[in-house]
Amino acid sequence: MFGIQNPSTSQKIKQPRSIAFTNGQIFQGRITNLYPNDVATLTMNGIQLTARMEVALTVGQRYWFEVKEASGIPRLKIIDDNIKQRESSATTSTERLRQQLDLPSTKSMSTLLRLLSRNQLPFLKEDVLKGYTILRELNQLNERGYRTIMNMIKSSIHISREAFLSFQSMEKQPSLLAQITKLYHSLEPINTPASKEVRLLIENIIKPNYTQIIQSPITQLLAKLGENEGARQLLSRLGILKRETPIQEIFQTFERNFKNPTYREIVEKLWPETSTNRDLLNMNQLIRKVNIAAGKQGMGQLQQLLQLFHSPIRAEEVYAKWLQLPQASLSQEEKNVLQTILMTATPFNIQEAPGLHLKNLFLMLGLQYENDLASFFQGDLGQESIHSNRLKALLMMLTQHDLPENVSVQVKQSLVRLTGQQLLMHEQSGAFHQYLYQLPIVLGTYSTDLTLKWEGKKDDEGKLDPKYCRVLFYLTLAHLREIIIDVHIQNRIVQIDIYNDKERPDALLSLLLPLLDKL
C-alpha cells in the first residue's frame, strides 16, 4: 500500500460530538450527575447532555426519555420511571417502552425498538409506527428492512414508502454510471422527443467534451526522432529501433514503406484524412498527424505503424517495456523526454476544466431539482431552467409517457436511484456538515463512478467554508483500482494524501515530483 497512513486512522477534522433534539423524540440515557432546580447531566451514545427533568432520578440508572421542549436546555419527560427496577434484559426494557407508547404488540415491533435501543438512536413515535407499517406492507419485516428504517431515522430522513424504496436503491445496486448507461441503451428504440432529450443529456454526462483521447507515448517518441537524442535512446530501449542504425536510414525506410503499395491499406487506415497531401509530408509530420490511443485501445494501430519501420517487436512487448522504463537506469536526456510525455499524458482538455464539469454533473443529474423548483416558484428561475438539462426532471416527465415495460422499469429505477442519492446527500451534526455525492466521470476512455465526500462547517453567511474543510475522493481506476484522495484544507493551506493498495511507485514518483515542485 502506498500512502502515509491508513484512511481509517488518518487525521480527521475534529468535529464536536453533539446532538440537536426535536420535540417528541424518544431516547435512552444514563444519569451521571444531579444538580439543583431539577437539572441533570446524562450520557447517550457517548454524548454528554444537560437537561431539565420533571421527577427525581437516581445517578447511574438508565431511563427512557421523551423530549418535551428542545430549545435551550432541553426539558425531558421520563417515560418509564420504574425502569431501574426492571430486569437486566434489554428485551424487557423495550417491551415496557412499547406498552408505554401504545405501539402494536408484535414481535416485529419489539425487534425494531430493540435495534433502535441497541444503537442508541433518538426517534419519534410516529416514525417508528410509519416504518413498521411500510415494512409490513412491503413484506420486509426482516434484517434488511429493519436496518433501512434504522438508517433513515439516523439520517433524519422523512419516513415514507417512496423514501424507503429510494434509500434501499442505494444499497448493493449497480453504480450510478451503470444505471444511467443501461437506461441510455434501453431508450434507443424509443423514437420520441422526450426519449431523445434524455439520451442526449445522458450522452453529455457519460461522454463529456472535456476529455480527449490520450495519444500513445510511442508515437510521441517517434515524432521526436531526429530532434531529440533522448527519444532515440528510449526507442532503442523499447526494441523498436536498433541503436546503431543511422537516423537517415530510419527515415528512408519509413518513407519508402509509406509510399509502397504493399502498405497502402495500413497507410489509409492510419492517415485517412491526409490522402491529398500526405506524400508531401516528412516522417515527423506524419507521425504527429496519426491518432493512436494509448494502452490496449490503440494496440492494433501501433502494430500497423511498427510495420512501416520494419520493426520486429510486437506492440504488446513494447508496452510491457514502456511500463518498466521508470525503474530503468536512464540518462538525463531520456529522463527529460520521459518526464515531458508523462506530464502530457492527461485525458483532460485544458480548454475546459474538469472541475467545472463536476459542478455541471451535479446540475445535469438534477440532484438539486427540488431547490430549483423552489426558486422557480419564488420567481428566481424560469420554467425552462428547471426542466432543461436536469435528468431527474426529464425522467419524472418521461414516467407520464406510454413506454414498453422494460423501458419503464429502467426509467423508474434510475429515478429512484437519483432520489435515493438526494436523501443520503447531506448529514448534519451540530454545526458540522457532511455532503456525500456519487458522480459518473470519464477519464479518457475509462468510465467510473467518483464518490465525493465534503466535511466542514458553514461560514457566517451560511455558505460552505472552503478555507476549512476536508474533501475525500473515492474512485476505482483502470490500473491502480481502488484509490482514496484525502484533501485537508486549513486556512487555505492544502495537504493531500493518496491511499492505494498497490506498491508505492517510487521510481515513477522520482520522475514526476521534481516537475511538481516547479509548479
Side-chain angles (χ1 to χ4, degrees), residues 439-451:
L439 303 172
I441 63 169
V442 180
L443 304 173
T445 59
Y446 180 74
S447 301
T448 186
D449 275 305
L450 167 67
T451 299

Side-chain angles (χ1 to χ4, degrees), residues 62 230 376:
R62 301 186 68 84
F376 165 69

Side-chain angles (χ1 to χ4, degrees), residues 44-92:
M44 185 207 71
N45 198 17
I47 301 173
Q48 187 86 1
L49 308 171
T50 300
R52 295 187 185 276
M53 306 296 175
E54 295 183 347
V55 297
L57 304 173
T58 302
V59 173
Q61 293 296 330
R62 301 186 68 84
Y63 300 83
W64 282 106
F65 297 99
E66 180 183 0
V67 180
K68 303 302 290 183
E69 178 57 52
S71 60
I73 297 179
R75 183 167 59 86
L76 307 180
K77 173 187 175 182
I78 298 176
I79 297 177
D80 181 8
D81 58 1
N82 293 319
I83 198 168
K84 60 184 179 179
Q85 298 174 354
R86 74 191 187 280
E87 299 175 9
S88 59
S89 169
T91 304
T92 302

Side-chain angles (χ1 to χ4, degrees), residues 306-372:
L306 293 179
Q307 292 182 46
L308 299 179
F309 288 92
H310 280 173
S311 180
I313 193 169
R314 302 288 301 171
E316 291 82 359
E317 297 177 64
V318 171
Y319 267 109
K321 291 185 176 183
W322 166 261
L323 295 175
Q324 297 301 317
L325 279 182
Q327 282 80 31
S329 178
L330 304 177
S331 67
Q332 190 58 50
E333 292 88 349
E334 290 175 305
K335 286 183 179 180
N336 293 340
V337 176
L338 188 55
Q339 286 175 334
T340 301
I341 292 177
L342 290 175
M343 288 298 289
T344 57
T346 170
F348 298 118
N349 186 336
I350 60 173
Q351 295 179 352
E352 183 173 346
L356 177 62
H357 182 72
L358 291 180
K359 295 181 181 179
N360 291 338
L361 271 178
F362 189 79
L363 295 175
M364 288 190 289
L365 289 170
L367 295 179
Q368 60 177 30
Y369 170 69
E370 285 74 13
N371 289 339
D372 290 343

Side-chain angles (χ1 to χ4, degrees), residues 20-142:
F21 284 119
T22 58
N23 292 345
Q25 276 189 318
I26 296 164
F27 68 94
Q28 192 181 60
R30 183 175 64 84
I31 300 297
T32 56
N33 281 297
L34 298 174
Y35 299 97
N37 300 321
D38 299 324
V39 174
T41 57
L42 60 149
T43 58
M44 185 207 71
N45 198 17
I47 301 173
Q48 187 86 1
L49 308 171
T50 300
R52 295 187 185 276
M53 306 296 175
E54 295 183 347
V55 297
L57 304 173
T58 302
V59 173
Q61 293 296 330
R62 301 186 68 84
Y63 300 83
W64 282 106
F65 297 99
E66 180 183 0
V67 180
K68 303 302 290 183
E69 178 57 52
S71 60
I73 297 179
R75 183 167 59 86
L76 307 180
K77 173 187 175 182
I78 298 176
I79 297 177
D80 181 8
D81 58 1
N82 293 319
I83 198 168
K84 60 184 179 179
Q85 298 174 354
R86 74 191 187 280
E87 299 175 9
S88 59
S89 169
T91 304
T92 302
S93 168
T94 52
E95 181 59 24
R96 289 185 180 181
L97 176 66
R98 186 200 61 74
Q99 294 171 2
Q100 290 282 342
L101 298 179
D102 195 25
L103 293 170
S105 178
T106 65
K107 181 179 179 181
S108 300
M109 175 58 78
S110 297
T111 300
L112 181 56
L113 288 174
R114 189 164 58 251
L115 287 172
L116 291 170
S117 172
R118 185 182 302 162
N119 288 275
Q120 300 186 53
L121 296 177
F123 60 88
L124 294 170
K125 173 184 173 180
E126 51 265 38
D127 283 348
V128 173
L129 194 55
K130 286 180 184 177
Y132 171 75
T133 303
I134 291 169
L135 294 179
R136 188 178 58 189
E137 291 175 351
L138 297 177
N139 196 27
Q140 287 207 37
L141 291 168
N142 51 39

Side-chain angles (χ1 to χ4, degrees), residues 191-441:
N191 190 24
T192 65
S195 64
K196 289 181 179 178
E197 189 174 4
V198 171
R199 276 176 55 83
L200 180 60
L201 180 56
I202 294 177
E203 274 190 19
N204 291 334
I205 292 173
I206 64 178
K207 301 176 182 179
N209 60 7
Y210 76 85
T211 62
Q212 57 190 7
I213 300 299
I214 303 175
Q215 286 295 312
S216 167
I218 311 306
T219 59
Q220 295 182 60
L221 284 175
L222 288 169
K224 296 178 183 294
L225 191 62
E227 303 172 359
N228 189 296
E229 179 59 25
R232 174 191 172 90
Q233 294 173 16
L234 288 175
L235 288 168
S236 298
R237 283 184 182 274
L238 295 173
I240 296 174
L241 305 176
K242 293 181 179 179
R243 187 179 295 272
E244 64 272 12
T245 305
I247 292 290
Q248 192 60 34
E249 184 178 330
I250 296 171
F251 274 70
Q252 291 174 351
T253 299
F254 174 86
E255 292 170 359
R256 184 171 56 252
N257 290 335
F258 183 84
K259 298 175 182 179
N260 190 332
T262 305
Y263 297 100
R264 178 168 299 175
E265 184 178 354
I266 290 178
V267 170
E268 290 179 350
K269 286 182 178 179
L270 294 178
W271 290 274
E273 299 177 0
T274 57
S275 57
T276 56
N277 63 347
R278 60 191 176 203
D279 289 341
L280 302 177
L281 303 176
N282 62 33
M283 189 193 85
N284 295 93
Q285 292 171 325
L286 286 166
I287 296 296
R288 289 190 177 97
K289 286 184 174 292
V290 72
N291 288 315
I292 298 179
K296 294 181 180 178
Q297 186 183 8
M299 204 73 75
Q301 289 178 299
L302 180 61
Q303 188 61 58
Q304 292 174 330
L305 181 62
L306 293 179
Q307 292 182 46
L308 299 179
F309 288 92
H310 280 173
S311 180
I313 193 169
R314 302 288 301 171
E316 291 82 359
E317 297 177 64
V318 171
Y319 267 109
K321 291 185 176 183
W322 166 261
L323 295 175
Q324 297 301 317
L325 279 182
Q327 282 80 31
S329 178
L330 304 177
S331 67
Q332 190 58 50
E333 292 88 349
E334 290 175 305
K335 286 183 179 180
N336 293 340
V337 176
L338 188 55
Q339 286 175 334
T340 301
I341 292 177
L342 290 175
M343 288 298 289
T344 57
T346 170
F348 298 118
N349 186 336
I350 60 173
Q351 295 179 352
E352 183 173 346
L356 177 62
H357 182 72
L358 291 180
K359 295 181 181 179
N360 291 338
L361 271 178
F362 189 79
L363 295 175
M364 288 190 289
L365 289 170
L367 295 179
Q368 60 177 30
Y369 170 69
E370 285 74 13
N371 289 339
D372 290 343
L373 202 60
S375 298
F376 165 69
F377 285 119
Q378 293 171 6
D380 297 332
L381 282 178
Q383 185 172 3
E384 183 178 348
S385 298
I386 63 173
H387 291 103
S388 178
N389 292 327
R390 303 290 192 273
L391 183 59
K392 181 175 180 180
L394 293 176
L395 291 180
M396 292 176 69
M397 296 172 62
L398 202 57
T399 58
Q400 307 302 316
H401 290 237
D402 186 16
L403 300 170
E405 179 65 24
N406 65 314
V407 178
S408 179
V409 168
Q410 289 301 319
V411 171
K412 291 177 181 177
Q413 285 181 350
S414 299
L415 187 56
V416 166
R417 177 59 183 268
L418 290 173
T419 303
Q421 178 156 330
Q422 286 178 293
L423 292 173
L424 296 175
M425 201 160 58
H426 178 227
E427 185 175 324
Q428 181 177 356
S429 177
F432 190 83
H433 294 261
Q434 176 178 291
Y435 291 85
L436 185 68
Y437 313 110
Q438 188 181 72
L439 303 172
I441 63 169

